[in-house]
Amino acid sequence: IKIKIELLKILEIGEVAMLFRNQFKLYMEWFDSRVTFYNLHGNQGLNTLVEEEKQIIWTPSLIFDNTDQKVRTRTDAESLISVKREGNFSRNTIDTVDNVYMYHGLENPLEMSRVYHTGWICDYQMNWYPFDTQVCSMVISVTEDLNDFITIEGNGHENLGPVELTQYFIRNTEMNINLIGNG
């Protein structure tokens, strides 16, 4: 699974509570060889799945590890799932009434995006406060049952929010992929 994160807004930095709350958009992209798509458009926005379709396909479940409740990604009404047309089509057989262009799921990835509001548990080192630099991670992992089947691959990140906050400023953001065990 390729993931991309857009950091939209930092909502709170709590030094005493050791937390960091933010609003971010998570993009997940994956292939599913069990699915065949019909009549895909070149414009990905026209290949958006409707609610019923979102509920019958497989979607990855990731865990926001350093959260209070080990929050998971969700596939709900706020999730947007579309298909990127990247592969070639094949035509249906002559005995089928409809004229259909079929695209195999192994060549045309699904992309799901959703905005999350999440509080992350941090380990701030306040020894040099107020002349310190703090690091807080957003740890995202694969659920244990899928650990043998999927791996996370970084597809970029962006900080779209302000870098100067009331009390702090954002010096740097980066995405690191650390593989633990099989996943």
Short mmCIF file of all heavy atoms in Angstrom, two decimals, residues 38-96:
data_model
loop_
_atom_site.label_atom_id
_atom_site.label_comp_id
_atom_site.label_asym_id
_atom_site.label_seq_id
_atom_site.Cartn_x
_atom_site.Cartn_y
_atom_site.Cartn_z
N TYR A 38 -15.24 -1.67 -15.13
CA TYR A 38 -15.83 -1.48 -16.45
C TYR A 38 -15.80 -0.02 -16.84
O TYR A 38 -16.12 0.85 -16.04
CB TYR A 38 -17.28 -1.96 -16.48
CG TYR A 38 -17.47 -3.44 -16.28
CD1 TYR A 38 -18.70 -3.94 -15.88
CD2 TYR A 38 -16.45 -4.35 -16.51
CE1 TYR A 38 -18.90 -5.31 -15.71
CE2 TYR A 38 -16.63 -5.70 -16.33
CZ TYR A 38 -17.85 -6.17 -15.93
OH TYR A 38 -18.03 -7.52 -15.77
N ASN A 39 -15.41 0.24 -18.09
CA ASN A 39 -15.51 1.57 -18.72
C ASN A 39 -14.90 2.69 -17.90
O ASN A 39 -15.54 3.70 -17.63
CB ASN A 39 -16.99 1.88 -19.03
CG ASN A 39 -17.60 0.86 -19.95
OD1 ASN A 39 -16.94 0.35 -20.86
ND2 ASN A 39 -18.86 0.53 -19.72
N LEU A 40 -13.63 2.54 -17.52
CA LEU A 40 -12.96 3.58 -16.76
C LEU A 40 -12.70 4.80 -17.63
O LEU A 40 -12.38 4.68 -18.81
CB LEU A 40 -11.62 3.06 -16.20
CG LEU A 40 -11.70 2.00 -15.10
CD1 LEU A 40 -10.30 1.58 -14.69
CD2 LEU A 40 -12.48 2.52 -13.90
N HIS A 41 -12.80 5.97 -17.03
CA HIS A 41 -12.50 7.22 -17.72
C HIS A 41 -11.04 7.59 -17.48
O HIS A 41 -10.42 7.17 -16.50
CB HIS A 41 -13.39 8.35 -17.17
CG HIS A 41 -14.84 8.13 -17.44
ND1 HIS A 41 -15.44 8.54 -18.60
CD2 HIS A 41 -15.81 7.54 -16.70
CE1 HIS A 41 -16.72 8.22 -18.57
NE2 HIS A 41 -16.97 7.61 -17.42
N GLY A 42 -10.49 8.42 -18.35
CA GLY A 42 -9.13 8.92 -18.17
C GLY A 42 -9.04 9.87 -17.00
O GLY A 42 -8.01 10.00 -16.35
N ASN A 43 -10.13 10.57 -16.69
CA ASN A 43 -10.21 11.49 -15.56
C ASN A 43 -10.57 10.68 -14.31
O ASN A 43 -11.68 10.16 -14.20
CB ASN A 43 -11.26 12.57 -15.84
CG ASN A 43 -11.43 13.54 -14.71
OD1 ASN A 43 -10.99 13.33 -13.59
ND2 ASN A 43 -12.08 14.65 -15.02
N GLN A 44 -9.64 10.59 -13.35
CA GLN A 44 -9.86 9.77 -12.17
C GLN A 44 -11.10 10.21 -11.38
O GLN A 44 -11.78 9.38 -10.77
CB GLN A 44 -8.63 9.83 -11.26
CG GLN A 44 -8.73 8.94 -10.05
CD GLN A 44 -7.49 9.00 -9.18
OE1 GLN A 44 -6.43 9.46 -9.60
NE2 GLN A 44 -7.60 8.51 -7.97
N GLY A 45 -11.42 11.49 -11.39
CA GLY A 45 -12.59 11.98 -10.67
C GLY A 45 -13.89 11.38 -11.16
O GLY A 45 -14.88 11.35 -10.44
N LEU A 46 -13.91 10.90 -12.41
CA LEU A 46 -15.10 10.27 -12.96
C LEU A 46 -15.18 8.78 -12.64
O LEU A 46 -16.13 8.12 -13.01
CB LEU A 46 -15.16 10.50 -14.47
CG LEU A 46 -15.26 11.95 -14.92
CD1 LEU A 46 -15.15 12.06 -16.43
CD2 LEU A 46 -16.54 12.59 -14.41
N ASN A 47 -14.15 8.26 -11.96
CA ASN A 47 -14.11 6.84 -11.59
C ASN A 47 -14.31 6.65 -10.09
O ASN A 47 -13.74 5.74 -9.49
CB ASN A 47 -12.76 6.23 -12.01
CG ASN A 47 -12.54 6.28 -13.50
OD1 ASN A 47 -13.49 6.21 -14.27
ND2 ASN A 47 -11.30 6.42 -13.90
N THR A 48 -15.09 7.51 -9.49
CA THR A 48 -15.33 7.45 -8.05
C THR A 48 -16.39 6.41 -7.72
O THR A 48 -17.42 6.34 -8.38
CB THR A 48 -15.76 8.84 -7.53
OG1 THR A 48 -14.75 9.79 -7.88
CG2 THR A 48 -15.96 8.84 -6.04
N LEU A 49 -16.12 5.61 -6.71
CA LEU A 49 -17.05 4.57 -6.29
C LEU A 49 -18.20 5.17 -5.48
O LEU A 49 -17.99 6.12 -4.71
CB LEU A 49 -16.35 3.52 -5.44
CG LEU A 49 -15.61 2.40 -6.17
CD1 LEU A 49 -14.56 2.90 -7.11
CD2 LEU A 49 -15.01 1.43 -5.18
N VAL A 50 -19.38 4.63 -5.67
CA VAL A 50 -20.54 5.04 -4.88
C VAL A 50 -20.52 4.25 -3.56
O VAL A 50 -19.76 3.29 -3.40
CB VAL A 50 -21.88 4.83 -5.64
CG1 VAL A 50 -21.93 5.72 -6.87
CG2 VAL A 50 -22.07 3.39 -6.01
N GLU A 51 -21.37 4.65 -2.64
CA GLU A 51 -21.36 4.08 -1.29
C GLU A 51 -21.48 2.55 -1.28
O GLU A 51 -20.75 1.87 -0.56
CB GLU A 51 -22.49 4.71 -0.47
CG GLU A 51 -22.26 4.67 1.02
CD GLU A 51 -21.01 5.40 1.47
OE1 GLU A 51 -20.69 6.48 0.93
OE2 GLU A 51 -20.32 4.86 2.35
N GLU A 52 -22.38 1.99 -2.08
CA GLU A 52 -22.56 0.54 -2.12
C GLU A 52 -21.29 -0.16 -2.61
O GLU A 52 -20.92 -1.22 -2.11
CB GLU A 52 -23.74 0.14 -3.01
CG GLU A 52 -25.09 0.69 -2.60
CD GLU A 52 -25.31 2.15 -3.02
OE1 GLU A 52 -24.88 2.54 -4.12
OE2 GLU A 52 -25.90 2.89 -2.22
N GLU A 53 -20.63 0.42 -3.60
CA GLU A 53 -19.40 -0.17 -4.14
C GLU A 53 -18.28 -0.11 -3.10
O GLU A 53 -17.48 -1.05 -2.99
CB GLU A 53 -18.98 0.55 -5.42
CG GLU A 53 -19.93 0.35 -6.57
CD GLU A 53 -19.63 1.28 -7.75
OE1 GLU A 53 -19.19 2.43 -7.53
OE2 GLU A 53 -19.86 0.84 -8.89
N LYS A 54 -18.21 0.99 -2.34
CA LYS A 54 -17.17 1.12 -1.31
C LYS A 54 -17.30 0.03 -0.26
O LYS A 54 -16.30 -0.42 0.30
CB LYS A 54 -17.25 2.49 -0.63
CG LYS A 54 -16.81 3.63 -1.49
CD LYS A 54 -16.56 4.90 -0.71
CE LYS A 54 -17.78 5.50 -0.09
NZ LYS A 54 -17.52 6.83 0.51
N GLN A 55 -18.51 -0.39 0.02
CA GLN A 55 -18.73 -1.37 1.08
C GLN A 55 -18.45 -2.81 0.64
O GLN A 55 -18.24 -3.67 1.49
CB GLN A 55 -20.16 -1.26 1.62
CG GLN A 55 -20.47 0.09 2.26
CD GLN A 55 -19.45 0.53 3.31
OE1 GLN A 55 -19.02 -0.26 4.12
NE2 GLN A 55 -19.06 1.79 3.26
N ILE A 56 -18.43 -3.08 -0.67
CA ILE A 56 -18.22 -4.48 -1.10
C ILE A 56 -16.78 -4.78 -1.54
O ILE A 56 -16.44 -5.95 -1.68
CB ILE A 56 -19.20 -4.88 -2.24
CG1 ILE A 56 -19.04 -3.99 -3.46
CG2 ILE A 56 -20.62 -4.88 -1.74
CD1 ILE A 56 -19.84 -4.45 -4.67
N ILE A 57 -15.96 -3.76 -1.73
CA ILE A 57 -14.56 -4.03 -2.08
C ILE A 57 -13.72 -4.11 -0.81
O ILE A 57 -14.11 -3.61 0.24
CB ILE A 57 -13.98 -2.96 -3.04
CG1 ILE A 57 -13.92 -1.60 -2.36
CG2 ILE A 57 -14.73 -2.91 -4.34
CD1 ILE A 57 -13.01 -0.62 -3.05
N TRP A 58 -12.55 -4.73 -0.93
CA TRP A 58 -11.62 -4.78 0.19
C TRP A 58 -10.90 -3.44 0.27
O TRP A 58 -10.48 -2.88 -0.75
CB TRP A 58 -10.60 -5.90 -0.03
CG TRP A 58 -9.56 -5.94 1.04
CD1 TRP A 58 -9.66 -6.56 2.25
CD2 TRP A 58 -8.26 -5.34 1.00
NE1 TRP A 58 -8.52 -6.37 2.98
CE2 TRP A 58 -7.64 -5.61 2.24
CE3 TRP A 58 -7.57 -4.56 0.07
CZ2 TRP A 58 -6.36 -5.18 2.56
CZ3 TRP A 58 -6.30 -4.12 0.38
CH2 TRP A 58 -5.69 -4.43 1.61
N THR A 59 -10.78 -2.90 1.47
CA THR A 59 -9.99 -1.68 1.70
C THR A 59 -9.00 -1.96 2.81
O THR A 59 -9.32 -2.69 3.76
CB THR A 59 -10.88 -0.48 2.07
OG1 THR A 59 -11.65 -0.81 3.22
CG2 THR A 59 -11.80 -0.08 0.93
N PRO A 60 -7.81 -1.40 2.73
CA PRO A 60 -6.81 -1.65 3.77
C PRO A 60 -7.22 -1.03 5.10
O PRO A 60 -7.86 0.02 5.12
CB PRO A 60 -5.55 -0.97 3.23
CG PRO A 60 -5.89 -0.34 1.96
CD PRO A 60 -7.32 -0.56 1.66
N SER A 61 -6.86 -1.69 6.16
CA SER A 61 -7.09 -1.17 7.50
C SER A 61 -5.75 -0.92 8.16
O SER A 61 -4.99 -1.87 8.39
CB SER A 61 -7.91 -2.17 8.32
OG SER A 61 -8.13 -1.67 9.62
N LEU A 62 -5.44 0.33 8.40
CA LEU A 62 -4.19 0.70 9.05
C LEU A 62 -4.50 1.19 10.46
O LEU A 62 -5.61 1.65 10.75
CB LEU A 62 -3.48 1.79 8.26
CG LEU A 62 -3.13 1.45 6.81
CD1 LEU A 62 -2.42 2.63 6.15
CD2 LEU A 62 -2.27 0.21 6.72
N ILE A 63 -3.51 1.11 11.33
CA ILE A 63 -3.65 1.53 12.72
C ILE A 63 -2.82 2.79 12.95
O ILE A 63 -1.66 2.85 12.53
CB ILE A 63 -3.17 0.43 13.68
CG1 ILE A 63 -3.95 -0.85 13.47
CG2 ILE A 63 -3.29 0.89 15.14
CD1 ILE A 63 -3.39 -2.04 14.23
N PHE A 64 -3.40 3.77 13.62
CA PHE A 64 -2.65 4.93 14.09
C PHE A 64 -2.12 4.52 15.46
O PHE A 64 -2.80 4.62 16.48
CB PHE A 64 -3.52 6.17 14.16
CG PHE A 64 -4.16 6.55 12.84
CD1 PHE A 64 -5.36 7.24 12.81
CD2 PHE A 64 -3.57 6.21 11.63
CE1 PHE A 64 -5.95 7.59 11.60
CE2 PHE A 64 -4.15 6.56 10.42
CZ PHE A 64 -5.34 7.25 10.41
N ASP A 65 -0.89 4.02 15.47
CA ASP A 65 -0.33 3.30 16.61
C ASP A 65 -0.17 4.12 17.88
O ASP A 65 -0.46 3.64 18.96
CB ASP A 65 1.02 2.69 16.23
CG ASP A 65 0.98 1.18 16.21
OD1 ASP A 65 0.06 0.61 16.79
OD2 ASP A 65 1.89 0.59 15.62
N ASN A 66 0.35 5.31 17.77
CA ASN A 66 0.60 6.08 18.99
C ASN A 66 -0.57 7.03 19.29
O ASN A 66 -0.39 8.20 19.56
CB ASN A 66 1.94 6.82 18.93
CG ASN A 66 2.06 7.77 17.76
OD1 ASN A 66 1.55 7.51 16.68
ND2 ASN A 66 2.74 8.88 17.98
N THR A 67 -1.78 6.46 19.25
CA THR A 67 -2.97 7.19 19.67
C THR A 67 -3.52 6.49 20.90
O THR A 67 -3.21 5.34 21.17
CB THR A 67 -4.05 7.21 18.56
OG1 THR A 67 -4.41 5.87 18.23
CG2 THR A 67 -3.55 7.93 17.32
N ASP A 68 -4.35 7.20 21.62
CA ASP A 68 -4.89 6.70 22.88
C ASP A 68 -5.68 5.41 22.69
O ASP A 68 -5.57 4.47 23.47
CB ASP A 68 -5.77 7.79 23.50
CG ASP A 68 -6.12 7.51 24.94
OD1 ASP A 68 -5.39 6.74 25.59
OD2 ASP A 68 -7.12 8.07 25.42
N GLN A 69 -6.47 5.33 21.64
CA GLN A 69 -7.35 4.18 21.42
C GLN A 69 -6.91 3.30 20.25
O GLN A 69 -7.70 2.47 19.78
CB GLN A 69 -8.77 4.68 21.15
CG GLN A 69 -9.26 5.67 22.17
CD GLN A 69 -10.28 5.07 23.10
OE1 GLN A 69 -11.07 4.24 22.67
NE2 GLN A 69 -10.27 5.48 24.33
N LYS A 70 -5.68 3.49 19.76
CA LYS A 70 -5.20 2.73 18.58
C LYS A 70 -6.22 2.85 17.44
O LYS A 70 -6.71 1.86 16.90
CB LYS A 70 -4.96 1.27 18.91
CG LYS A 70 -3.93 1.03 19.98
CD LYS A 70 -2.55 1.11 19.43
CE LYS A 70 -1.56 0.65 20.47
NZ LYS A 70 -0.24 1.15 20.26
N VAL A 71 -6.53 4.07 17.07
CA VAL A 71 -7.52 4.38 16.05
C VAL A 71 -7.14 3.71 14.73
O VAL A 71 -5.96 3.59 14.40
CB VAL A 71 -7.63 5.92 15.86
CG1 VAL A 71 -8.61 6.28 14.77
CG2 VAL A 71 -8.01 6.58 17.17
N ARG A 72 -8.15 3.28 13.97
CA ARG A 72 -7.92 2.64 12.67
C ARG A 72 -8.49 3.51 11.55
O ARG A 72 -9.40 4.31 11.78
CB ARG A 72 -8.61 1.28 12.60
CG ARG A 72 -7.97 0.24 13.46
CD ARG A 72 -8.72 -1.06 13.35
NE ARG A 72 -8.08 -2.06 14.18
CZ ARG A 72 -7.80 -3.28 13.76
NH1 ARG A 72 -8.12 -3.66 12.55
NH2 ARG A 72 -7.21 -4.13 14.56
N THR A 73 -7.98 3.29 10.36
CA THR A 73 -8.55 3.97 9.20
C THR A 73 -9.97 3.45 9.00
O THR A 73 -10.29 2.32 9.38
CB THR A 73 -7.71 3.71 7.94
OG1 THR A 73 -7.57 2.30 7.75
CG2 THR A 73 -6.35 4.36 8.04
N ARG A 74 -10.80 4.29 8.39
CA ARG A 74 -12.21 3.92 8.20
C ARG A 74 -12.60 4.07 6.74
O ARG A 74 -12.12 4.95 6.04
CB ARG A 74 -13.10 4.82 9.05
CG ARG A 74 -12.91 4.64 10.54
CD ARG A 74 -13.94 5.45 11.33
NE ARG A 74 -13.72 6.87 11.31
CZ ARG A 74 -12.92 7.52 12.16
NH1 ARG A 74 -12.28 6.86 13.08
NH2 ARG A 74 -12.79 8.83 12.09
N THR A 75 -13.52 3.21 6.34
CA THR A 75 -14.17 3.35 5.04
C THR A 75 -15.63 3.69 5.34
O THR A 75 -16.40 2.84 5.74
CB THR A 75 -14.09 2.03 4.24
OG1 THR A 75 -12.72 1.65 4.12
CG2 THR A 75 -14.69 2.20 2.85
N ASP A 76 -15.96 4.97 5.17
CA ASP A 76 -17.31 5.44 5.50
C ASP A 76 -17.73 6.51 4.49
O ASP A 76 -17.08 6.68 3.46
CB ASP A 76 -17.36 5.96 6.94
CG ASP A 76 -16.35 7.07 7.22
OD1 ASP A 76 -15.79 7.64 6.25
OD2 ASP A 76 -16.13 7.39 8.40
N ALA A 77 -18.78 7.23 4.80
CA ALA A 77 -19.30 8.25 3.88
C ALA A 77 -18.29 9.37 3.64
O ALA A 77 -18.33 10.03 2.60
CB ALA A 77 -20.61 8.81 4.42
N GLU A 78 -17.37 9.59 4.57
CA GLU A 78 -16.35 10.64 4.39
C GLU A 78 -15.16 10.18 3.56
O GLU A 78 -14.32 10.97 3.18
CB GLU A 78 -15.86 11.13 5.76
CG GLU A 78 -16.94 11.82 6.57
CD GLU A 78 -16.43 12.28 7.92
OE1 GLU A 78 -15.28 12.77 7.98
OE2 GLU A 78 -17.17 12.16 8.90
N SER A 79 -15.08 8.88 3.30
CA SER A 79 -13.99 8.33 2.49
C SER A 79 -14.33 8.50 1.01
O SER A 79 -15.47 8.28 0.60
CB SER A 79 -13.81 6.84 2.77
OG SER A 79 -13.60 6.61 4.12
N LEU A 80 -13.33 8.85 0.25
CA LEU A 80 -13.49 8.96 -1.20
C LEU A 80 -12.60 7.90 -1.84
O LEU A 80 -11.39 7.88 -1.60
CB LEU A 80 -13.08 10.36 -1.66
CG LEU A 80 -13.23 10.67 -3.14
CD1 LEU A 80 -14.71 10.68 -3.52
CD2 LEU A 80 -12.61 12.02 -3.46
N ILE A 81 -13.21 7.01 -2.61
CA ILE A 81 -12.44 5.95 -3.29
C ILE A 81 -12.66 6.09 -4.79
O ILE A 81 -13.80 6.18 -5.25
CB ILE A 81 -12.86 4.54 -2.83
CG1 ILE A 81 -12.69 4.40 -1.32
CG2 ILE A 81 -12.05 3.48 -3.56
CD1 ILE A 81 -13.13 3.06 -0.77
N SER A 82 -11.55 6.11 -5.52
CA SER A 82 -11.64 6.19 -6.98
C SER A 82 -10.61 5.24 -7.58
O SER A 82 -9.75 4.72 -6.90
CB SER A 82 -11.41 7.63 -7.45
OG SER A 82 -10.14 8.08 -7.04
N VAL A 83 -10.73 5.05 -8.89
CA VAL A 83 -9.83 4.14 -9.61
C VAL A 83 -9.00 4.96 -10.58
O VAL A 83 -9.52 5.78 -11.33
CB VAL A 83 -10.63 3.07 -10.39
CG1 VAL A 83 -9.69 2.08 -11.06
CG2 VAL A 83 -11.61 2.34 -9.47
N LYS A 84 -7.69 4.73 -10.55
CA LYS A 84 -6.78 5.38 -11.51
C LYS A 84 -6.67 4.46 -12.73
O LYS A 84 -6.27 3.31 -12.59
CB LYS A 84 -5.38 5.53 -10.91
CG LYS A 84 -5.22 6.61 -9.91
CD LYS A 84 -3.74 6.66 -9.52
CE LYS A 84 -3.44 7.77 -8.58
NZ LYS A 84 -2.01 7.79 -8.22
N ARG A 85 -6.99 4.98 -13.90
CA ARG A 85 -6.86 4.18 -15.11
C ARG A 85 -5.41 4.24 -15.57
O ARG A 85 -4.93 5.26 -16.05
CB ARG A 85 -7.78 4.70 -16.21
CG ARG A 85 -7.80 3.75 -17.42
CD ARG A 85 -8.74 4.22 -18.48
NE ARG A 85 -8.03 5.16 -19.33
CZ ARG A 85 -8.57 5.79 -20.36
NH1 ARG A 85 -9.84 5.61 -20.65
NH2 ARG A 85 -7.87 6.63 -21.09
N GLU A 86 -4.70 3.13 -15.39
CA GLU A 86 -3.29 3.05 -15.79
C GLU A 86 -3.03 1.91 -16.78
O GLU A 86 -2.11 1.97 -17.56
CB GLU A 86 -2.39 2.89 -14.56
CG GLU A 86 -2.38 4.11 -13.66
CD GLU A 86 -1.46 3.96 -12.46
OE1 GLU A 86 -0.92 2.85 -12.23
OE2 GLU A 86 -1.30 4.96 -11.74
N GLY A 87 -3.83 0.87 -16.70
CA GLY A 87 -3.63 -0.29 -17.56
C GLY A 87 -4.48 -0.22 -18.82
O GLY A 87 -5.32 0.66 -18.99
N ASN A 88 -4.26 -1.18 -19.70
CA ASN A 88 -5.04 -1.28 -20.94
C ASN A 88 -6.33 -2.04 -20.69
O ASN A 88 -6.44 -2.83 -19.76
CB ASN A 88 -4.22 -1.97 -22.03
CG ASN A 88 -3.05 -1.12 -22.47
OD1 ASN A 88 -3.16 0.09 -22.58
ND2 ASN A 88 -1.91 -1.76 -22.68
N PHE A 89 -7.29 -1.82 -21.56
CA PHE A 89 -8.57 -2.51 -21.43
C PHE A 89 -8.60 -3.74 -22.33
O PHE A 89 -7.81 -3.89 -23.24
CB PHE A 89 -9.74 -1.57 -21.77
CG PHE A 89 -9.75 -1.11 -23.20
CD1 PHE A 89 -10.40 -1.85 -24.18
CD2 PHE A 89 -9.13 0.09 -23.57
CE1 PHE A 89 -10.42 -1.43 -25.50
CE2 PHE A 89 -9.14 0.52 -24.89
CZ PHE A 89 -9.79 -0.25 -25.86
N SER A 90 -9.56 -4.59 -22.04
CA SER A 90 -9.90 -5.69 -22.95
C SER A 90 -11.39 -5.58 -23.21
O SER A 90 -12.14 -5.06 -22.39
CB SER A 90 -9.52 -7.04 -22.35
OG SER A 90 -10.21 -7.24 -21.14
N ARG A 91 -11.80 -6.06 -24.35
CA ARG A 91 -13.23 -5.99 -24.70
C ARG A 91 -13.93 -7.26 -24.20
O ARG A 91 -13.32 -8.30 -24.06
CB ARG A 91 -13.40 -5.86 -26.20
CG ARG A 91 -12.84 -4.57 -26.76
CD ARG A 91 -13.08 -4.49 -28.26
NE ARG A 91 -12.31 -3.44 -28.86
CZ ARG A 91 -12.75 -2.20 -29.04
NH1 ARG A 91 -13.95 -1.87 -28.64
NH2 ARG A 91 -11.98 -1.30 -29.61
N ASN A 92 -15.22 -7.10 -23.98
CA ASN A 92 -16.00 -8.27 -23.59
C ASN A 92 -16.19 -9.21 -24.78
O ASN A 92 -15.91 -8.85 -25.91
CB ASN A 92 -17.34 -7.85 -22.98
CG ASN A 92 -18.16 -6.99 -23.92
OD1 ASN A 92 -17.64 -6.41 -24.87
ND2 ASN A 92 -19.45 -6.90 -23.66
N THR A 93 -16.69 -10.38 -24.50
CA THR A 93 -16.85 -11.38 -25.56
C THR A 93 -18.05 -11.06 -26.43
O THR A 93 -18.93 -10.28 -26.07
CB THR A 93 -17.04 -12.78 -24.93
OG1 THR A 93 -18.18 -12.75 -24.09
CG2 THR A 93 -15.81 -13.17 -24.14
N ILE A 94 -18.11 -11.67 -27.57
CA ILE A 94 -19.16 -11.40 -28.56
C ILE A 94 -20.55 -11.85 -28.08
O ILE A 94 -21.56 -11.31 -28.50
CB ILE A 94 -18.82 -12.06 -29.91
CG1 ILE A 94 -19.74 -11.53 -30.99
CG2 ILE A 94 -18.94 -13.55 -29.84
CD1 ILE A 94 -19.05 -11.10 -32.21
N ASP A 95 -20.59 -12.81 -27.15
CA ASP A 95 -21.89 -13.29 -26.67
C ASP A 95 -22.51 -12.39 -25.60
O ASP A 95 -23.61 -12.64 -25.14
CB ASP A 95 -21.77 -14.73 -26.15
CG ASP A 95 -20.74 -14.87 -25.05
OD1 ASP A 95 -19.81 -14.06 -24.99
OD2 ASP A 95 -20.88 -15.83 -24.26
N THR A 96 -21.80 -11.32 -25.21
CA THR A 96 -22.34 -10.37 -24.24
C THR A 96 -23.05 -9.25 -24.99
O THR A 96 -22.55 -8.74 -26.00
CB THR A 96 -21.21 -9.78 -23.38
OG1 THR A 96 -20.44 -10.85 -22.84
CG2 THR A 96 -21.75 -8.94 -22.25
#
